[in-house]
Amino acid sequence: MKTNQADNAAKSLPRDRNRPLTMAIAGNPNAGKTTLFNTLSGARQHVGNWPGVTVEKKEGSFDYHGRTIHIVDLPGTYSLTAYSMEEVIARDYILTETPDVVVNIVDASNLERNLYLTVQLLELGAPVIIALNMVDVAEGRGIRIDHNQLGTLLGVPVIPMVARTGKGRDELMRAVLDPPPPAQLRVNYGRDLENAIQKLCGTMDASPGTPPPAGGARHAAVKLLENDSVYEKKLRDSFGPDIVDRKNRLAARIEQTLADDTETLLVDRRYGYISGLIREVVSRPAMDKRTMTDNIDAVLTHRALGLPFFIFAMWATFQATFTLGAKPMEWLDMFFGWLGGVFAALLGDTLIGSMVVDGVIGGVGGVLSFLPNILILFFAIAMLEDTGYMARAAFIMDKVMHKLHLHGKSFIPLLVGFGCTVPAIMATRTLENRKDRIVTILVAPLMSCGARLPVYVLLAGAFFSPAAAGNVIFSIYLIGILFAIFLARIFRTKLLKGDTTPFVMELPPYRMPTLKSVLLHMWERAWMYIKKAGTTLLSIALLMWALITFPLTFPGQDAMERELSRRAAAVEQRASELGAAPGADIKDARYNELVEAVEEQEREISSAQLRHSLAGRVGRFIEPVLHPIGFDWKTGIALISGFAAKEVIVSTMGIIYSVGSSAEASSELTGALRADPIFTPLTAYVLMLFTLLTIPCMATVAVIHRETGSWKWTAFSLGYHTVLAWVVCFVVYQGGRLIGL
Ligand code: GDP
Ligand code: MG
């Protein structure tokens, strides 16, 4: 019978044989979508983003028996509601791009939960083929699934397979070459709901000029009753507000009758359908034995042991990221230093040389130096995710984070933020709810990153006793954490309130991840970082360089340069008096004095240039704003340059205080800061606070924009950090002065 159908299909569509066939892979996270995708498409794949959002999109194509097949890896979802962007993307893709076939990967060892998505795909009317994956795992547990019976009951082909080994791949591809018709599953939602669905369909049919949305009227009616915001808008737009009013009235009546909301009732009914289905097709071992997962979970999600273990796991991740990353990061730093040296020698002391060395290599190299940390972090995250532990982590932390009005999963990115805010914000991708994600992104920069440490060390070292310096620095970190918690609460309850994702605390089975899948997951993320942070950064780095470099001329330049030549001539003269070549290692007090005079004049010139550079002018322009919090224009420039990267604050202060920024000069800088009357222990502390609270560095801003996909939130982040930093510093500075500090 099946073969007949295949023949008929082949005969009726002879021309189509040359057309590429589009195949979408849909399934729960961790069901094996990527594994299947990789075995099918091999190297011919392309990773990008879905339009307008930051959900990863993987596409590939390959030839199978002379037919070109285009595969799209849809985002992993448990459902097709409008709760997360992944779900909306998957649903929209199927409805609007209408792939020839949707291969629904179902984890056979976790059939019940996986079938929830299947049921929705079938309700949508998608041309579904079920790839019943991980039958090896199911069999290992003694679960036997009658896949033929499952296919019959659902009305779609079901192909058992083991994606990891490639078993069942050919059977699957044979089925794909003969795409099934659109599915026609109708779940019976019970008398009351069916009644309401029918009435809503009637309203749509009564509007003859307007076709029902893709997926059909029944599906749209079900979605409406599920309070799906996307469908509400869609239907209101095409059928007018009446249909939504009608739905609300019908839903209210049902809620009165059944004492439960329609949304819950629909979900319950679907699960009821699945339970019935499972009873028909699954036979379990007679004795319901405890699985390995149950045993591990007894420890890892234990009421008392779960949290300590979780904290340990996170601590280990955090430690590995920054201790194992330190050495390679140093090497990369050295490499970029060497590269800078090579180009400096090649291009000389020219404008182009400065642009390449300071702007391009200094700017982009600085960010790429974080790559080892990024790789280690993403390796750890991929491990935690692929094993299934991440789901437990959220499960354990959910209660604690709920008190802070944050999602359980927010905990992970915040912890990462102590190292670097850029990967911290990227780690928010594990959050499904957009609002949770935005709140976490907004407060993540308050977790003081490693780049800010040099600033604290410099200032605390210069203005506090060695015994107090450690506590001073610790207090800054603590203030950051407290602000993060406090503001997250405010943002989540005031700015981004309501609409929390009903968080299904699913506990997927533990699985031993393959090295290949972990490495692949790690690399995919790392590559995005290299590519996008690299390109975005390059342009901003060049801009910053220009602001500090231009204009090259400044008032009084000629006189200063004449003085420089005079001093240089004096050095040469002294050298010839001594009978030595200039630059040779001359041990003569007078000679050294003269050399120092030249260096001093060079510093004078560069600081005059700095004062009149665009950045310098901005520094002097913003001075009135900084005055109430105790800073002058020079600190202003340092803070502006800190936008490029927080460490830069230290090196800019070095240039400003005309001592250069080389390592041996740092004690001189300490002395120069102490000598500047503007600096007291109070201003130093306020400057540390400002560094902590003010707008994050440009790499972070770029990543905030990329991850929120919104200029509005990026602007908000910049705005609130600026206001927060200023207000807190004002209060501390003025308060400190009042009490006589
Ligand atoms: P996705 O995120 O849904 O695309 O799932 P992945 O492709 O990342 O697979 C999740 C994990 O399941 C990986 O560690 C795979 O190696 C593993 N996996 C995939 N298919 C099978 C299978 O058929 N059997 C077993 N035992 N493991 C599998
Ligand atoms: Mg995947």
Side-chain angles (χ1 to χ4, degrees), residues 35 43 102 122 171 184 217 403 405 435 500 539 548 588 604 622 687 729:
T35 310
V102 175
L122 297 176
E171 287 83 338
Q184 291 183 326
K403 295 208 175 76
H405 291 265
K435 289 182 177 178
T500 47
S539 40
I548 289 177
D588 174 66
E604 289 282 311
I622 63 167
L687 183 52
C729 288

Side-chain angles (χ1 to χ4, degrees), residues 470-509:
N471 292 335
V472 166
I473 293 173
F474 178 69
S475 74
I476 297 284
Y477 275 83
L478 210 60
I479 289 168
I481 297 168
L482 293 176
F483 267 114
I485 290 172
F486 172 71
L487 289 172
R489 254 193 92 110
I490 292 182
F491 291 156
R492 196 66 177 98
T493 52
K494 299 278 186 294
L495 217 58
L496 288 152
K497 59 174 166 239
D499 236 48
T500 47
T501 310
F503 190 40
V504 187
M505 278 302 179
E506 80 276 356
L507 297 176

Side-chain angles (χ1 to χ4, degrees), residues 28-35 37-38 56 58 73-76 386 521 524:
N28 288 12
N30 281 319
K33 291 182 303 305
T34 307
T35 310
F37 180 93
N38 287 336
E56 226 172 56
K58 271 178 93 163
D73 194 1
L74 293 177
D386 285 9
H521 282 146
E524 283 170 354

Side-chain angles (χ1 to χ4, degrees), residues 41-363:
S41 68
R44 286 171 61 190
Q45 47 176 274
H46 170 76
V47 183
N49 274 353
W50 291 88
V53 289
T54 52
V55 177
E56 226 172 56
K57 179 180 191 180
K58 271 178 93 163
E59 290 178 277
S61 57
F62 67 106
D63 291 324
Y64 190 79
H65 287 263
R67 189 86 189 260
T68 301
I69 297 176
H70 181 70
I71 335 176
V72 177
D73 194 1
L74 293 177
T77 62
Y78 295 110
S79 174
L80 287 181
T81 50
Y83 283 128
S84 71
M85 44 185 170
E86 280 82 352
E87 297 184 15
V88 174
I89 288 167
R91 190 169 76 185
D92 282 352
Y93 182 84
I94 293 168
L95 285 175
T96 58
E97 304 291 328
T98 55
D100 297 292
V101 54
V102 175
V103 171
N104 174 210
I105 290 236
V106 166
D107 177 351
S109 67
N110 217 331
L111 196 58
E112 189 163 359
R113 204 191 59 218
N114 276 251
L115 284 176
Y116 191 71
L117 175 67
T118 308
V119 165
Q120 295 196 54
L121 286 170
L122 297 176
E123 286 190 293
L124 203 65
V128 172
I129 294 176
I130 293 178
L132 188 64
N133 194 31
M134 307 215 191
V135 289
D136 56 338
V137 182
E139 267 161 23
R141 287 196 208 141
I143 302 168
R144 284 217 323 277
I145 299 166
D146 184 347
H147 64 268
N148 288 323
Q149 176 71 353
L150 182 63
T152 309
L153 289 172
L154 291 174
V156 294
V158 176
I159 318 289
M161 68 182 307
V162 181
R164 188 137 89 173
T165 62
K167 186 168 165 257
R169 182 174 167 268
D170 280 314
E171 287 83 338
L172 175 67
M173 287 320 297
R174 267 202 292 280
V176 166
L177 285 184
D178 176 24
Q184 291 183 326
L185 182 70
R186 280 177 81 118
V187 174
N188 178 5
Y189 287 107
R191 224 180 46 214
D192 299 275
L193 282 164
E194 285 294 340
N195 215 324
I197 291 167
Q198 215 180 346
K199 286 192 173 128
L200 290 171
C201 286
T203 308
M204 283 182 246
D205 290 341
S207 177
T210 326
R218 179 183 168 87
H219 178 252
V222 170
K223 286 289 147 192
L224 205 55
L225 286 164
E226 257 186 286
N227 299 323
D228 185 303
S229 53
V230 173
Y231 269 85
E232 257 194 31
K233 188 181 174 324
K234 221 186 258 186
L235 293 180
R236 185 183 288 120
D237 288 348
S238 37
F239 295 99
D242 281 356
I243 191 156
V244 178
D245 290 344
R246 179 139 205 217
K247 184 268 305 193
N248 287 338
R249 266 181 280 124
L250 289 165
R253 197 180 314 149
I254 293 172
E255 276 175 41
Q256 272 174 6
T257 329
L258 301 178
D260 222 332
D261 58 342
T262 48
E263 203 177 337
T264 313
L265 290 167
L266 287 162
V267 173
D268 284 349
R269 275 286 173 166
R270 253 180 227 133
Y271 270 116
Y273 173 80
I274 294 165
S275 301
L277 192 62
I278 290 208
R279 206 164 301 152
E280 295 281 341
V281 300
V282 179
S283 63
R284 284 177 209 278
M287 213 181 54
D288 209 354
K289 69 174 177 197
R290 265 173 87 88
T291 61
M292 192 62 155
T293 292
D294 295 333
N295 288 329
I296 301 172
D297 269 342
V299 179
L300 292 191
T301 59
H302 187 271
R303 244 190 292 140
L305 297 176
L307 193 58
F309 185 84
F310 172 63
I311 290 168
F312 172 77
M314 287 301 119
W315 175 84
T317 302
F318 173 64
Q319 279 294 314
T321 302
F322 302 103
T323 55
L324 294 182
K327 270 285 158 211
M329 182 172 161
E330 228 172 76
W331 297 331
L332 273 179
D333 240 12
M334 272 162 58
F335 167 74
F336 286 115
W338 170 81
L339 197 67
V342 167
F343 275 93
L346 208 71
L347 299 167
D349 194 8
T350 60
L351 208 53
I352 295 289
S354 163
M355 187 181 84
V356 171
V357 175
D358 303 333
V360 178
I361 299 175

